[in-house]
Amino acid sequence: RLPSDMATESSKLVNVTDVAIDDGEGGSELGFKDFSHARPQPAAYPDDMHDDDDQGLLEEGKAGESSSNASICSVAYYKQFFNVTTNQLLRRLLRSVDVRPDAPLFYVDDSKPDMYGPFWVCTTLVFLMAATGNVAHYIQTTQKTVWKYDFEKLTTAAWIFYSSISIIPIAVWFALGHLNHPKSLIEVISIYGYSLFVFIPTCVICVVPSEPLRWISILISFVISSVFIVRNLGNLVIIRNPERNRSTKTKGYVLLGVILVCHAAIALLMKVYFFEY
């Protein structure tokens, strides 16, 4: 047969309607209907569909309770501490390396502490310190020595930096409350987190195989970071409330001394563990 004849017969089969088949016993008839008009519609592509899940989440966030009224066990409560703009983050990072005595971290028009900056600084330091420490080791490895990447530096860096923005701030926050100088725990964590920002360029400088340069850069970073901490916590403990008795001021000085000793231990550990080759 010719292809045209086959096409004609196939079109007739498609358009068959109301064909009756007799079973010879006067029984029921089987009828065939034309379903050509009920062709399935093409599936909708993602571009033609509405993302109901995202829309629901957005509506839920708008209709939900505010962060200040949310429970401390809910995610909405902590959302407010990560709600920081890029300009605010950059301003606070620059203030953390500003050694002027009249440059506190939180100004009157920018007084809300955040946890995004401390988390970003510590996470960057964890990976950068481990990477630069291994690079420094590789540079100073002789040809006769087989060099291997030390993954323990990554876990050690995580323990050092995440402890410095969790354990130490909690202890300082408790001590401030004991000295009748209550301060928000989130604010203390924020101060400690931003104080570590200066060590990010320092760990890059320490890749250079020069021990004097490494010691000088670590020392300068420690001084800048300590000035930042004392400027934001020392004025609360010592300078404010001049009517406090001598005993309270003495305890304040002791607290600042302990803070600086802990900070010096962290800086020394950075040098000895990561860049001592």
Side-chain angles (χ1 to χ4, degrees), residues 19-38:
V19 178
I21 298 178
D22 189 359
D23 59 0
E25 298 179 359
S28 61
E29 296 180 350
L30 178 62
F32 293 90
K33 299 297 183 179
D34 182 11
F35 295 99
S36 60
H37 63 281

PDB file of all heavy atoms in Angstrom, residues 19-38:
ATOM      1  N   VAL A  19     -19.632   2.755  17.424  1.00  0.00           N
ATOM      2  CA  VAL A  19     -19.617   1.468  16.739  1.00  0.00           C
ATOM      3  C   VAL A  19     -20.236   0.443  17.661  1.00  0.00           C
ATOM      4  O   VAL A  19     -19.783   0.288  18.804  1.00  0.00           O
ATOM      5  CB  VAL A  19     -18.173   1.058  16.365  1.00  0.00           C
ATOM      6  CG1 VAL A  19     -18.178  -0.303  15.703  1.00  0.00           C
ATOM      7  CG2 VAL A  19     -17.594   2.084  15.430  1.00  0.00           C
ATOM      8  N   ALA A  20     -21.240  -0.281  17.196  1.00  0.00           N
ATOM      9  CA  ALA A  20     -21.968  -1.243  18.031  1.00  0.00           C
ATOM     10  C   ALA A  20     -21.564  -2.641  17.641  1.00  0.00           C
ATOM     11  O   ALA A  20     -21.461  -2.976  16.456  1.00  0.00           O
ATOM     12  CB  ALA A  20     -23.475  -1.077  17.863  1.00  0.00           C
ATOM     13  N   ILE A  21     -21.357  -3.483  18.609  1.00  0.00           N
ATOM     14  CA  ILE A  21     -20.990  -4.879  18.394  1.00  0.00           C
ATOM     15  C   ILE A  21     -22.056  -5.737  19.055  1.00  0.00           C
ATOM     16  O   ILE A  21     -22.320  -5.602  20.247  1.00  0.00           O
ATOM     17  CB  ILE A  21     -19.605  -5.190  18.978  1.00  0.00           C
ATOM     18  CG1 ILE A  21     -18.547  -4.334  18.266  1.00  0.00           C
ATOM     19  CG2 ILE A  21     -19.280  -6.664  18.856  1.00  0.00           C
ATOM     20  CD1 ILE A  21     -17.151  -4.543  18.806  1.00  0.00           C
ATOM     21  N   ASP A  22     -22.665  -6.626  18.241  1.00  0.00           N
ATOM     22  CA  ASP A  22     -23.716  -7.506  18.737  1.00  0.00           C
ATOM     23  C   ASP A  22     -23.097  -8.835  19.116  1.00  0.00           C
ATOM     24  O   ASP A  22     -22.357  -9.445  18.321  1.00  0.00           O
ATOM     25  CB  ASP A  22     -24.778  -7.694  17.656  1.00  0.00           C
ATOM     26  CG  ASP A  22     -26.016  -8.415  18.192  1.00  0.00           C
ATOM     27  OD1 ASP A  22     -25.987  -8.765  19.388  1.00  0.00           O
ATOM     28  OD2 ASP A  22     -26.959  -8.603  17.408  1.00  0.00           O
ATOM     29  N   ASP A  23     -23.378  -9.300  20.322  1.00  0.00           N
ATOM     30  CA  ASP A  23     -22.811 -10.561  20.760  1.00  0.00           C
ATOM     31  C   ASP A  23     -23.591 -11.762  20.291  1.00  0.00           C
ATOM     32  O   ASP A  23     -23.292 -12.904  20.636  1.00  0.00           O
ATOM     33  CB  ASP A  23     -22.715 -10.581  22.292  1.00  0.00           C
ATOM     34  CG  ASP A  23     -24.063 -10.398  22.946  1.00  0.00           C
ATOM     35  OD1 ASP A  23     -25.047 -10.253  22.212  1.00  0.00           O
ATOM     36  OD2 ASP A  23     -24.105 -10.400  24.209  1.00  0.00           O
ATOM     37  N   GLY A  24     -24.652 -11.552  19.504  1.00  0.00           N
ATOM     38  CA  GLY A  24     -25.426 -12.648  18.938  1.00  0.00           C
ATOM     39  C   GLY A  24     -26.489 -13.170  19.854  1.00  0.00           C
ATOM     40  O   GLY A  24     -27.264 -14.044  19.475  1.00  0.00           O
ATOM     41  N   GLU A  25     -26.568 -12.751  21.026  1.00  0.00           N
ATOM     42  CA  GLU A  25     -27.563 -13.262  21.983  1.00  0.00           C
ATOM     43  C   GLU A  25     -28.485 -12.160  22.478  1.00  0.00           C
ATOM     44  O   GLU A  25     -29.159 -12.321  23.479  1.00  0.00           O
ATOM     45  CB  GLU A  25     -26.845 -13.905  23.182  1.00  0.00           C
ATOM     46  CG  GLU A  25     -26.002 -15.094  22.772  1.00  0.00           C
ATOM     47  CD  GLU A  25     -25.291 -15.697  23.963  1.00  0.00           C
ATOM     48  OE1 GLU A  25     -25.456 -15.148  25.085  1.00  0.00           O
ATOM     49  OE2 GLU A  25     -24.579 -16.715  23.786  1.00  0.00           O
ATOM     50  N   GLY A  26     -28.404 -11.028  21.762  1.00  0.00           N
ATOM     51  CA  GLY A  26     -29.286  -9.937  22.187  1.00  0.00           C
ATOM     52  C   GLY A  26     -28.838  -9.292  23.460  1.00  0.00           C
ATOM     53  O   GLY A  26     -29.638  -8.701  24.160  1.00  0.00           O
ATOM     54  N   GLY A  27     -27.554  -9.466  23.766  1.00  0.00           N
ATOM     55  CA  GLY A  27     -27.039  -8.896  25.019  1.00  0.00           C
ATOM     56  C   GLY A  27     -26.706  -7.424  24.864  1.00  0.00           C
ATOM     57  O   GLY A  27     -27.138  -6.758  23.923  1.00  0.00           O
ATOM     58  N   SER A  28     -25.953  -6.984  25.787  1.00  0.00           N
ATOM     59  CA  SER A  28     -25.570  -5.571  25.787  1.00  0.00           C
ATOM     60  C   SER A  28     -24.578  -5.287  24.697  1.00  0.00           C
ATOM     61  O   SER A  28     -23.865  -6.187  24.236  1.00  0.00           O
ATOM     62  CB  SER A  28     -24.969  -5.206  27.150  1.00  0.00           C
ATOM     63  OG  SER A  28     -23.824  -5.997  27.372  1.00  0.00           O
ATOM     64  N   GLU A  29     -24.580  -4.096  24.262  1.00  0.00           N
ATOM     65  CA  GLU A  29     -23.692  -3.644  23.206  1.00  0.00           C
ATOM     66  C   GLU A  29     -22.501  -2.912  23.795  1.00  0.00           C
ATOM     67  O   GLU A  29     -22.620  -2.250  24.800  1.00  0.00           O
ATOM     68  CB  GLU A  29     -24.448  -2.714  22.251  1.00  0.00           C
ATOM     69  CG  GLU A  29     -25.590  -3.416  21.518  1.00  0.00           C
ATOM     70  CD  GLU A  29     -26.294  -2.447  20.590  1.00  0.00           C
ATOM     71  OE1 GLU A  29     -25.992  -1.230  20.703  1.00  0.00           O
ATOM     72  OE2 GLU A  29     -27.109  -2.882  19.792  1.00  0.00           O
ATOM     73  N   LEU A  30     -21.397  -3.047  23.147  1.00  0.00           N
ATOM     74  CA  LEU A  30     -20.179  -2.364  23.540  1.00  0.00           C
ATOM     75  C   LEU A  30     -19.969  -1.193  22.610  1.00  0.00           C
ATOM     76  O   LEU A  30     -19.815  -1.387  21.397  1.00  0.00           O
ATOM     77  CB  LEU A  30     -18.984  -3.326  23.487  1.00  0.00           C
ATOM     78  CG  LEU A  30     -17.638  -2.725  23.823  1.00  0.00           C
ATOM     79  CD1 LEU A  30     -17.643  -2.207  25.265  1.00  0.00           C
ATOM     80  CD2 LEU A  30     -16.520  -3.755  23.628  1.00  0.00           C
ATOM     81  N   GLY A  31     -19.999  -0.014  23.086  1.00  0.00           N
ATOM     82  CA  GLY A  31     -19.880   1.172  22.258  1.00  0.00           C
ATOM     83  C   GLY A  31     -18.528   1.836  22.408  1.00  0.00           C
ATOM     84  O   GLY A  31     -17.994   1.918  23.509  1.00  0.00           O
ATOM     85  N   PHE A  32     -17.983   2.267  21.324  1.00  0.00           N
ATOM     86  CA  PHE A  32     -16.711   2.988  21.309  1.00  0.00           C
ATOM     87  C   PHE A  32     -17.007   4.459  21.064  1.00  0.00           C
ATOM     88  O   PHE A  32     -17.757   4.798  20.147  1.00  0.00           O
ATOM     89  CB  PHE A  32     -15.791   2.451  20.210  1.00  0.00           C
ATOM     90  CG  PHE A  32     -15.334   1.032  20.455  1.00  0.00           C
ATOM     91  CD1 PHE A  32     -16.067  -0.049  19.978  1.00  0.00           C
ATOM     92  CD2 PHE A  32     -14.194   0.796  21.193  1.00  0.00           C
ATOM     93  CE1 PHE A  32     -15.646  -1.334  20.223  1.00  0.00           C
ATOM     94  CE2 PHE A  32     -13.770  -0.492  21.428  1.00  0.00           C
ATOM     95  CZ  PHE A  32     -14.497  -1.568  20.947  1.00  0.00           C
ATOM     96  N   LYS A  33     -16.424   5.296  21.852  1.00  0.00           N
ATOM     97  CA  LYS A  33     -16.638   6.733  21.750  1.00  0.00           C
ATOM     98  C   LYS A  33     -15.395   7.399  21.190  1.00  0.00           C
ATOM     99  O   LYS A  33     -14.288   6.846  21.246  1.00  0.00           O
ATOM    100  CB  LYS A  33     -16.974   7.329  23.123  1.00  0.00           C
ATOM    101  CG  LYS A  33     -18.239   6.758  23.743  1.00  0.00           C
ATOM    102  CD  LYS A  33     -19.479   7.060  22.922  1.00  0.00           C
ATOM    103  CE  LYS A  33     -20.728   6.534  23.595  1.00  0.00           C
ATOM    104  NZ  LYS A  33     -21.942   6.860  22.803  1.00  0.00           N
ATOM    105  N   ASP A  34     -15.601   8.563  20.674  1.00  0.00           N
ATOM    106  CA  ASP A  34     -14.491   9.352  20.121  1.00  0.00           C
ATOM    107  C   ASP A  34     -13.870  10.193  21.230  1.00  0.00           C
ATOM    108  O   ASP A  34     -14.504  11.078  21.786  1.00  0.00           O
ATOM    109  CB  ASP A  34     -15.021  10.268  19.008  1.00  0.00           C
ATOM    110  CG  ASP A  34     -13.888  11.060  18.373  1.00  0.00           C
ATOM    111  OD1 ASP A  34     -12.708  10.723  18.656  1.00  0.00           O
ATOM    112  OD2 ASP A  34     -14.191  11.989  17.611  1.00  0.00           O
ATOM    113  N   PHE A  35     -12.604   9.864  21.581  1.00  0.00           N
ATOM    114  CA  PHE A  35     -11.892  10.610  22.625  1.00  0.00           C
ATOM    115  C   PHE A  35     -10.870  11.559  22.045  1.00  0.00           C
ATOM    116  O   PHE A  35      -9.972  12.003  22.743  1.00  0.00           O
ATOM    117  CB  PHE A  35     -11.189   9.626  23.561  1.00  0.00           C
ATOM    118  CG  PHE A  35     -12.138   8.765  24.342  1.00  0.00           C
ATOM    119  CD1 PHE A  35     -12.414   7.481  23.910  1.00  0.00           C
ATOM    120  CD2 PHE A  35     -12.756   9.248  25.472  1.00  0.00           C
ATOM    121  CE1 PHE A  35     -13.282   6.690  24.625  1.00  0.00           C
ATOM    122  CE2 PHE A  35     -13.624   8.444  26.187  1.00  0.00           C
ATOM    123  CZ  PHE A  35     -13.906   7.160  25.761  1.00  0.00           C
ATOM    124  N   SER A  36     -10.973  11.869  20.784  1.00  0.00           N
ATOM    125  CA  SER A  36      -9.999  12.773  20.170  1.00  0.00           C
ATOM    126  C   SER A  36     -10.091  14.180  20.715  1.00  0.00           C
ATOM    127  O   SER A  36      -9.124  14.926  20.718  1.00  0.00           O
ATOM    128  CB  SER A  36     -10.179  12.796  18.644  1.00  0.00           C
ATOM    129  OG  SER A  36     -11.493  13.249  18.320  1.00  0.00           O
ATOM    130  N   HIS A  37     -11.312  14.543  21.190  1.00  0.00           N
ATOM    131  CA  HIS A  37     -11.470  15.895  21.723  1.00  0.00           C
ATOM    132  C   HIS A  37     -10.923  16.004  23.146  1.00  0.00           C
ATOM    133  O   HIS A  37     -10.783  17.097  23.662  1.00  0.00           O
ATOM    134  CB  HIS A  37     -12.959  16.283  21.724  1.00  0.00           C
ATOM    135  CG  HIS A  37     -13.779  15.409  22.627  1.00  0.00           C
ATOM    136  ND1 HIS A  37     -14.188  14.132  22.237  1.00  0.00           N
ATOM    137  CD2 HIS A  37     -14.234  15.593  23.899  1.00  0.00           C
ATOM    138  CE1 HIS A  37     -14.891  13.594  23.231  1.00  0.00           C
ATOM    139  NE2 HIS A  37     -14.918  14.455  24.251  1.00  0.00           N
ATOM    140  N   ALA A  38     -10.638  14.898  23.804  1.00  0.00           N
ATOM    141  CA  ALA A  38     -10.149  14.913  25.195  1.00  0.00           C
ATOM    142  C   ALA A  38      -8.676  14.563  25.253  1.00  0.00           C
ATOM    143  O   ALA A  38      -8.250  13.731  26.030  1.00  0.00           O
ATOM    144  CB  ALA A  38     -10.967  13.940  26.036  1.00  0.00           C
TER     145      ALA A  38
END
